[in-house]
Amino acid sequence: MARGKLRIYVGAAPGVGKTYSMLSEAHRRVERGTDAVVAFVEHHGRPRTEVMLHGLEQIQRRELEYRGTVFTEMDVDAVLERKPAVALVDELAHTNVPGSRNGKRWQDIEELLEAGIDVISTVNIQHLESLGDVVDSITGVRQRETVPDEIVRRADQIELVDMSPQAIRRRMAHGNIYQPDKVDAALSNYFRPGNLTALRELALLWVADRVDEYLQEYRAEHSIRSTWQARERIVVGLTGGPEGRTLIRRAARMAAKGSGSEVLAVYIARSDGLTSASPKELAVQRTLVEDLGGTFHHVIGDDIPSALLEFARGVNATQIVLGSSRRKAWQYIFGPGVGATVARDSGPDLDVHIVTHEEVAKGRGLPVARGARLGRARIIAGWLVGVVGPALLSLLLTGIANGPGLANDVLLFLFLTVAAALLGGQLPALASAAVGSLLLNFYFTPPTHTLTVSDPKNIVAIVIFFAVAVAVASVVDLAARRTQQAARLRAESEILSFLAGSVLRGETTLNALLDRVRETFGMDTVALLERTSDVDPWTCAGRAGGTESGKPLLRPEDADVDMPVGDHMALALTGRVLPAEDRRVLAAFAAQAAVVLDRQRLVGEAERARELAEGNRIRTALLAAVSHDLRTPLASIKASVTSLRSDDVAWSEEDEAELLAGIEAGADRLDHLVGNLLDMSRLQTGTVTPLIREIDLDEVVPMALGGVPEGSVTLDIPEELPIVAVDPGLLERSVANLVENAVKYSPDGESVLVAASALGDRVELRIADRGPGVPDSAKDRIFEPFQRYGDAPRGAGVGLGLAVARGFAEAMGGTLAAEDTPGGGMTMVLTLRAAPGRPPVRPDLPAQATT
C-alpha cells in the first residue's frame, strides 16, 4: 500500500488563516469529487472558520476523561475504518490527553499516512522544536507543545499562510481571533507588532529553506549541473552536560539560514573511558540532534581540542559551536580551557562560535568515573609533594622548638606520602616513603643528625611508617587501575551500544560504517579487504579516508593495524598503532563490516533478481500481446487480401473498397501497436534522447489528432500561451496516445476536451474525457506497461499508450498525472516547461475567491 501524502499549512502566529485555508482546500477537493473528511478541526469559536466546516463530513471525536474533565481527541480508529482519500487534522504539534492512543498528534497522523490516507494539517512556526529557544526570547512565552522539524520537513507539500502584523492586529481587534474580553491583553503582549514581525521573519526563512531543498531535489532529478557554493557544515562540541541541548538548537538555527547546511554533533571521550558525561543526557541529546535532521558522532581522543579540530577538518566543517566553559574562575589556573584552545588553533578555515548558556561558571562538578591515566601536570605535582614536600616539612618541624613529637611527625610524613599517591600514583608515593623514612631517621630519631637509631621503639615506628606508606601507595595504585579498567569497559560498552544502535537505525552502508571506525579510533584510512582464496590478490570492498600522502592500501601487511575477519577478509587501518585493549572493540566493528558487506551484496542480488523478474514479466506480456493483439490485425489483413485475390468471387467496387479500407485500418492499427512496443523498448533501455527546441503548442497538438475520428475532440489552445521547450516528435506521440485513450473511453456523442493554460513558468495541457474515470488507488497503476484498467476488451491495445506518454513527458523534463474530471471522467494533465527567457503568463485570478 502506497504511503499517503502530507500537506502542511505553516503560519507565523495564531489567526493568520491556516485552518481557514485548509478548509478552503477541502471544499475545492470535494467539488472535484475527492473523498475528504474532517478528522479533527478546532475552530476556537471563530465564526468564519466555523462556517467553513459546513458541507464537510466530520468524523465523531473520541471522548476521554482526565482529572474529572471530559476532553475530545481525534478518533484514529474511526478514521482508519472510514478510510477517506483525504483527512483534515488540525494542530500538528498538539499533545494528546493522557490515555490516548499516541502521545502526540503528529504520531496519529503518521498512522494515517502509513494506511495510505492523505493528510492536510496546520502548524505555527513557534511550535517547531529548533525554534523553541528563540521564540521564548522574542515573546517571553515558552512553547510546551512542539513537533520535531524533521516531521514537517518530510511533508510532501508545505504552504506558508502569510499575513502582515498590521493585518493580524486588525483581525484581532475585530474579534476574529480571540473573544472580545481577551483582545486587549493579547494585543499588548504576544501580538505586539515587534513579536509578530520577528515570528513572520522566522516563518519566511524556514519555509524559504524548504523551498531551496525542493529546488535541489528538482535539479537532481533532472540532472541539472551548475556551480554551487560549498555546503555549510556545523560541528557542535558536546560534553554530555545539560548545556548540550542549547548548543544543538543554536546550531540547528544557524544551519536553517543556509541552503543544504548540515549539523554534526560530536562527543569526544578519552581513550581510558568517560569522565563526567551522563549517558542518559547523551542519549537525550542524540535524539534531539537526530530529530532536528543532524547526525551524532562518538569519537575517542585524549587531547579533546585536537580531536575536535581533527574531526571538524575531517568532515570539511566550516563552523564549530561550543558552549561557554562551566568552570569556575579559579579553575582557569589549570589552563585556558577547550573553547579558548579550539578558537586559538582553528585557523582561518574554521569559524568558532562560543554560545552562552545557563550553566556558565557553575562548575563542572566531580567526575563520575575518571580514568587512571594521569596527565603530566599531576605526575609532576605528585613528585613534588612526595620528594620536595618531606624536605620542606623537615625544615618547618626542625625550626619549631619542642616539636610535636615523633608520633605526630610520622603522621605528618605519612600524610604527604598519601597525598603523593593520590596525585602521582605509585612511584611518587614509594619515593615519598623512602625520603620520609630517611628524614625521620636523620632529623627526628635520637641520636639526631645520624642514621643510627638507639631506641628499638623508634626502629619499629620507622618500619611501620614505611610499610604503611607502601601499602597505601599499592592500594591507591590498585584502585586507580581498577577505575581505569571500569572506565574503559564503560567506554567500550558505549561504543558497542552506539554500533548496535546505528544498525537498528538503518545506518547499514559499508562506507558509513568504515567512516565511523575511522572517526572512533582517529585513523587516517580504513579499508575492508577481501580475496577469494589464499593465493589470490587482495581487493578493496570498501574504504574510508584518503591516501593522498601515501600508497593505496592494497594488503593487510601494509597497514598499521589489521583485524582478520574470517579466512579471506581483513579490516586494515593506517594512521597509528592501536593498543591491544582497543582491538576488542575493533573486532566488533570488523565483524559488523563483514555483515554489512554481505547484506549489501544480497540487496544487490535481490535488485538484479527483481530486474530479471520485471524483464520476464515484460517479455511474457509482450508474447501475450504478439500472440493476440498483433495477430488480430494481421488476421484481418490476411483475410481481406485472400478475399481480393480469390477468383471464385466477383467483387463489386463497393466490396473491394470496403476490403481495402479494412486492410488499411488493420495496417494502421498494426503500425500503432508496433510503434508503442518500440517506444517502450527505447524507454526501458534508456535510449530516448530528446531534441529540445522552442515551439508553439498549436503547431504540435493538431498534428497529434490525425488518428481519431473527426469531431471527437474539442481544442482550446489560447494564442497568448508562451512557447514551450520540448521535443516536437515526442510531444506529438505523447499527445496522440493520450487523446486516443480519452476518445476510446468517452461515451458516444461526448467529445474530448484538449485545453492548454499557463501557470508561472509552466504550461499545462489537459485532456479531459467523460468516461467512467479511474479511482485514486489505480491512478498510478494505469501508467505501468501492459496495464489496462477495468474490463477493457482484448482488442483495445496492449496497454502501453499511457506508459509511453509518461516516459516521453519525463524525458522532456515534464510530468504527466491523472486527475478526476469535475462531473465525471478522467483528465490527463501534461505539464511542460516554458521556454527560458520568455515572460511567464500570469493567470487572471479574481481578487477574492469564494466557495
Side-chain angles (χ1 to χ4, degrees):
M1 178 184 296
R3 178 181 169 88
K5 298 184 181 301
L6 176 60
R7 178 173 183 174
I8 299 178
Y9 287 91
V10 178
V16 296
K18 304 180 303 300
T19 306
Y20 190 94
S21 299
M22 177 178 67
L23 294 173
S24 299
E25 175 64 19
H27 280 286
R28 286 192 290 271
R29 297 199 182 194
V30 169
E31 290 175 0
R32 295 198 302 262
T34 304
D35 181 19
V37 302
V38 176
F40 188 97
V41 169
E42 188 63 62
H43 56 75
H44 297 290
R46 299 166 187 169
R48 293 174 180 261
T49 305
E50 187 176 3
V51 169
M52 292 297 293
L53 286 170
H54 298 166
L56 296 176
E57 178 184 350
Q58 301 185 45
I59 295 180
Q60 186 173 0
R61 302 180 184 181
R62 181 186 178 191
E63 294 186 353
L64 295 170
E65 184 176 357
Y66 179 67
R67 294 183 177 180
T69 305
V70 177
F71 298 89
T72 60
E73 295 285 3
M74 180 176 65
D75 193 336
V76 179
D77 291 327
V79 179
L80 293 175
E81 183 178 357
R82 171 64 174 77
K83 197 171 178 54
V86 179
L88 276 64
V89 184
D90 205 3
E91 299 177 354
L92 179 67
H94 172 74
T95 301
N96 293 331
V97 175
S100 302
R101 182 178 186 136
N102 296 301
K104 302 287 290 187
R105 183 162 293 162
W106 62 264
Q107 296 172 327
D108 295 338
I109 291 176
E110 282 293 316
E111 288 195 37
L112 302 183
L113 295 174
E114 289 296 333
I117 301 174
D118 294 347
V119 176
I120 305 178
S121 187
T122 64
V123 69
N124 282 327
I125 197 68
Q126 64 264 30
H127 293 296
L128 296 180
E129 177 68 48
S130 66
L131 301 178
D133 292 345
V134 66
V135 172
D136 185 10
S137 64
I138 293 172
T139 65
V141 178
R142 181 68 183 182
Q143 300 294 330
R144 300 187 179 276
E145 293 188 331
T146 59
V147 59
D149 292 44
E150 190 61 20
I151 299 299
V152 184
R153 287 185 179 273
R154 287 204 308 260
D156 299 278
Q157 185 174 351
I158 297 176
E159 183 168 339
L160 176 66
V161 182
D162 188 29
M163 180 175 289
S164 67
Q166 294 78 11
I168 297 177
R169 287 174 59 84
R170 283 197 302 269
R171 180 178 287 185
M172 172 71 72
H174 293 160
N176 294 330
I177 300 179
Y178 290 161
Q179 297 298 325
D181 57 337
K182 300 180 180 179
V183 170
D184 291 337
L187 290 175
S188 58
N189 291 283
Y190 192 92
F191 284 80
R192 294 195 302 268
N195 289 356
L196 296 177
T197 302
L199 293 174
R200 187 188 188 194
E201 182 180 15
L202 285 177
L204 291 171
L205 289 174
W206 195 92
V207 175
D209 177 52
R210 186 65 180 122
V211 171
D212 287 338
E213 293 178 10
Y214 279 134
L215 180 59
Q216 290 184 12
E217 293 173 3
Y218 174 82
R219 297 172 68 88
E221 291 173 358
H222 295 80
S223 301
I224 299 175
R225 302 178 182 272
S226 61
T227 302
W228 290 85
Q229 296 180 354
R231 174 186 297 184
E232 288 285 341
R233 295 192 177 212
I234 304 173
V235 171
V236 184
L238 302 179
T239 64
E243 77 280 0
R245 305 184 198 182
T246 302
L247 302 184
I248 292 172
R249 292 191 179 98
R250 174 61 175 156
R253 292 197 297 272
M254 293 169 58
K257 296 180 180 179
S259 174
S261 300
E262 185 178 358
V263 175
L264 302 91
V266 56
Y267 170 71
I268 299 176
R270 296 185 183 275
S271 60
D272 56 358
L274 300 175
T275 54
S276 60
S278 167
K280 181 178 180 180
E281 182 63 29
L282 278 179
V284 172
Q285 294 175 14
R286 175 186 298 169
T287 303
L288 176 61
V289 72
E290 291 175 351
D291 287 342
L292 297 177
T295 57
F296 183 89
H297 302 263
H298 186 105
V299 176
I300 292 179
D302 292 325
D303 189 344
I304 292 180
S306 298
L308 180 61
L309 289 171
E310 182 180 354
F311 173 84
R313 294 191 175 101
V315 298
N316 294 323
T318 58
Q319 302 180 61
I320 298 178
V321 175
L322 299 173
S324 297
S325 179
R326 286 185 283 140
R327 296 191 299 176
K328 295 182 179 297
W330 64 268
Q331 292 178 309
Y332 283 95
I333 62 175
F334 298 109
V338 174
T341 304
V342 171
R344 181 192 63 199
D345 299 338
S346 61
D349 56 337
L350 277 173
D351 295 334
V352 180
H353 304 266
I354 306 297
V355 179
T356 59
H357 50 83
E358 296 179 354
E359 303 297 323
V360 174
K362 290 186 177 180
R364 298 179 61 92
L366 294 176
V368 177
R370 193 179 186 95
R373 178 176 292 182
L374 303 177
R376 180 179 300 178
R378 285 193 56 182
I379 294 176
I380 294 175
W383 281 102
L384 290 176
V385 172
V387 177
V388 179
L392 295 177
L393 180 61
S394 299
L395 292 176
L396 177 64
L397 294 178
T398 55
I400 300 176
N402 299 323
L406 181 60
N408 292 325
D409 294 338
V410 170
L411 291 177
L412 290 174
F413 278 95
L414 182 60
F415 171 78
L416 291 178
T417 301
V418 173
L422 293 175
L423 286 174
Q426 188 175 24
L427 291 179
L430 294 178
S432 177
V435 172
S437 300
L438 291 175
L439 292 176
L440 282 172
N441 186 5
F442 190 81
Y443 287 105
F444 304 103
T445 304
T448 58
H449 303 291
T450 67
L451 296 179
T452 303
V453 180
S454 59
D455 189 351
K457 295 181 181 180
N458 294 335
I459 297 178
V460 173
I462 293 176
V463 169
I464 292 176
F465 163 75
F466 186 80
V468 170
V470 171
V472 169
S474 300
V475 170
V476 171
D477 182 70
L478 178 62
R481 284 189 286 110
R482 291 290 184 266
T483 302
Q484 178 185 12
Q485 294 173 1
R488 179 161 192 86
L489 291 175
R490 185 177 179 184
E492 290 181 1
S493 65
E494 174 76 13
I495 296 173
L496 294 176
S497 173
F498 177 78
L499 176 61
S502 66
V503 175
L504 294 177
R505 290 190 298 271
E507 298 178 4
T508 55
T509 61
L510 181 60
N511 290 337
L513 182 62
L514 295 180
D515 198 53
R516 291 286 186 185
V517 176
R518 186 182 63 82
E519 293 176 0
T520 300
F521 295 99
M523 308 301 286
D524 294 334
T525 305
V526 178
L528 184 63
L529 307 177
E530 63 174 349
R531 59 182 178 180
T532 55
S533 66
D534 294 336
V535 296
D536 291 328
W538 291 92
T539 59
C540 182
R543 181 191 304 274
T547 58
E548 294 82 356
S549 59
K551 298 180 180 179
L553 190 58
L554 301 178
R555 300 183 307 166
E557 294 82 3
D558 299 333
D560 295 322
V561 181
D562 69 285
M563 175 61 63
V565 187
D567 296 331
H568 302 118
M569 189 177 293
L571 187 65
L573 303 89
T574 61
R576 64 187 179 94
V577 178
L578 291 180
E581 55 267 22
D582 285 343
R583 295 181 66 88
R584 290 183 299 180
V585 179
L586 183 61
F589 275 105
Q592 185 59 36
V595 172
V596 169
L597 178 61
D598 291 340
R599 185 184 296 115
Q600 284 186 354
R601 289 174 174 171
L602 289 175
V603 170
E605 293 177 2
E607 181 62 23
R608 287 191 293 270
R610 188 195 65 78
E611 293 176 356
L612 291 175
E614 179 67 15
N616 289 334
R617 186 185 71 83
I618 292 179
R619 280 193 291 270
T620 302
L622 179 59
L623 289 174
V626 172
S627 63
H628 187 281
D629 295 283
L630 298 183
R631 291 179 63 184
T632 299
L634 283 175
S636 175
I637 294 172
K638 176 67 175 177
S640 299
V641 172
T642 302
S643 299
L644 288 174
R645 296 188 62 187
S646 174
D647 298 332
D648 299 337
V649 180
W651 301 100
S652 64
E653 293 183 359
E654 292 79 5
D655 293 335
E656 290 181 355
E658 184 177 352
L659 291 174
L660 290 173
I663 293 174
E664 183 179 11
D668 290 341
R669 181 178 170 190
L670 186 61
D671 177 70
H672 180 72
L673 293 175
V674 172
N676 274 338
L677 288 173
L678 293 176
D679 290 339
M680 196 67 232
S681 175
R682 293 168 60 200
L683 289 171
Q684 291 287 339
T685 56
T687 57
V688 176
T689 305
L691 301 175
I692 304 298
R693 66 185 182 90
E694 299 179 4
I695 194 171
D696 284 321
L697 274 182
D698 55 9
E699 296 181 26
V700 180
V701 175
M703 299 175 60
L705 307 181
V708 297
E710 185 176 354
S712 59
V713 176
T714 301
L715 280 178
D716 182 13
I717 301 181
E719 295 181 357
E720 64 273 11
L721 279 179
I723 294 177
V724 293
V726 296
D727 183 317
L730 298 184
L731 177 60
E732 180 183 346
R733 196 59 181 269
S734 297
V735 176
N737 284 345
L738 295 175
V739 172
E740 179 186 348
N741 186 76
V743 171
K744 183 191 307 179
Y745 288 100
S746 290
D748 295 337
E750 291 284 351
S751 62
V752 173
L753 175 62
V754 179
S757 60
L759 184 62
D761 61 346
R762 314 290 288 179
V763 175
E764 287 187 351
L765 185 65
R766 293 177 171 266
I767 298 93
D769 63 62
R770 291 294 180 179
V774 175
D776 293 340
S777 58
K779 281 187 171 62
D780 288 332
R781 193 169 66 248
I782 61 176
F783 291 102
E784 297 178 3
F786 303 104
Q787 295 290 328
R788 288 179 293 192
Y789 179 72
D791 56 353
R794 290 291 302 172
V798 294
L800 288 177
L802 296 181
V804 170
R806 172 174 274 189
F808 284 170
E810 293 176 349
M812 295 183 294
T815 60
L816 177 61
E819 295 181 357
D820 294 329
T821 302
M826 186 169 63
T827 299
M828 291 292 175
V829 182
L830 178 60
T831 305
L832 304 170
R833 293 180 301 174
R838 303 300 180 101
V841 177
R842 299 185 179 275
D844 295 332
L845 299 177
Q848 183 176 3
T850 58
T851 57

